[in-house]
Amino acid sequence: MLPRASRIAGAAVFRRFSTGFTTAPAEAEEMFKEAWKKVVPHINPPKTPLSFIQHPPPIPTSIPAKLILNLYLPYSSHLSNKQVDMVIMPATTGDMGICPGHTAIMTELKPGILSLLEGNETTKYFVSGGFAFIHPNSVADIITLEAVPIDRIDPNMVQKGIAEFSQKLSSATTDYEKTEAQIGIDVHTALQSALMG
């Protein structure tokens, strides 16, 4: 039994795995279509996943002067192809500054201030959290549930919200109610510190 197992294991070492093939995607799709036509010549071949993939734009060889920002909300595209010098966003790991030519990353956002720097002007939004995708071609896609300009936030409503959610937290009986109240407190506390800073 042992000699047979060692022969099988030895044969597995020399066997090629499917990831070992070095066929280009376009060639692989053509090979699939030709094989399909041999088996079922009267039916058009199905579309492969490669036919649905859009090729990413080429990575520039030099660092562009501006960062292209897209800010998406569930109900609208708030900013589209906005050119900025820098974006400072509230990542869960701390505030993060993104300039043109930044390395590609994806990060989660926490409630806080999203600052857009254009020359000498700074535009600030309060975001409730979300995700940021920084692409290697100096494009930043930020997806959030809410983005409100700082000057449109009423400090009295923020104080009222903190008091309301604190009262809900103290009277909560289920884990769901406690979690919901804690999220409300976190968001309103972030709003308060955004107004102060």
Side-chain angles (χ1 to χ4, degrees), residues 106-158:
M106 182 188 90
T107 187
E108 184 179 359
L109 302 178
K110 65 181 180 182
I113 298 292
L114 176 72
S115 301
L116 313 179
L117 286 73
E118 304 172 67
N120 294 330
E121 292 185 22
T122 303
T123 307
K124 293 185 178 184
Y125 292 90
F126 178 81
V127 293
S128 61
F131 292 93
F133 302 90
I134 312 304
H135 306 285
N137 58 346
S138 293
V139 174
D141 293 325
I142 297 176
I143 301 162
T144 182
L145 291 175
E146 287 295 332
V148 180
I150 287 294
D151 56 358
R152 291 181 46 198
I153 298 173
D154 182 5
N156 296 327
M157 294 299 290
V158 173

Side-chain angles (χ1 to χ4, degrees), residues 32-33 36-37 40-47:
F32 171 76
K33 287 179 181 177
W36 180 273
K37 288 177 185 175
V40 194
H42 60 282
I43 299 176
N44 289 333
K47 290 192 179 275

Side-chain angles (χ1 to χ4, degrees), residues 57-173:
I59 298 172
T61 55
S62 62
I63 296 175
K66 298 283 187 176
L67 178 73
I68 297 172
L69 176 69
N70 299 308
L71 179 59
Y72 300 110
L73 304 175
Y75 47 85
S76 71
S77 175
H78 190 69
L79 296 174
S80 183
N81 293 327
K82 174 117 175 123
Q83 294 191 358
V84 296
D85 295 321
M86 183 178 183
V87 174
I88 301 173
M89 54 190 174
T92 53
T93 56
D95 287 349
M96 181 181 289
I98 305 296
C99 293
H102 198 284
T103 185
I105 58 165
M106 182 188 90
T107 187
E108 184 179 359
L109 302 178
K110 65 181 180 182
I113 298 292
L114 176 72
S115 301
L116 313 179
L117 286 73
E118 304 172 67
N120 294 330
E121 292 185 22
T122 303
T123 307
K124 293 185 178 184
Y125 292 90
F126 178 81
V127 293
S128 61
F131 292 93
F133 302 90
I134 312 304
H135 306 285
N137 58 346
S138 293
V139 174
D141 293 325
I142 297 176
I143 301 162
T144 182
L145 291 175
E146 287 295 332
V148 180
I150 287 294
D151 56 358
R152 291 181 46 198
I153 298 173
D154 182 5
N156 296 327
M157 294 299 290
V158 173
Q159 290 296 331
K160 184 179 174 185
I162 290 174
E164 179 183 325
F165 282 106
S166 297
Q167 192 269 333
K168 282 184 180 181
L169 183 62
S170 62
S171 64
T173 56

Side-chain angles (χ1 to χ4, degrees), residues 111-112 126-129 158 162 182-192:
F126 178 81
V127 293
S128 61
V158 173
I162 290 174
Q182 187 61 53
I183 290 170
I185 290 171
D186 292 346
V187 170
H188 282 80
T189 304
L191 272 166
Q192 185 179 41

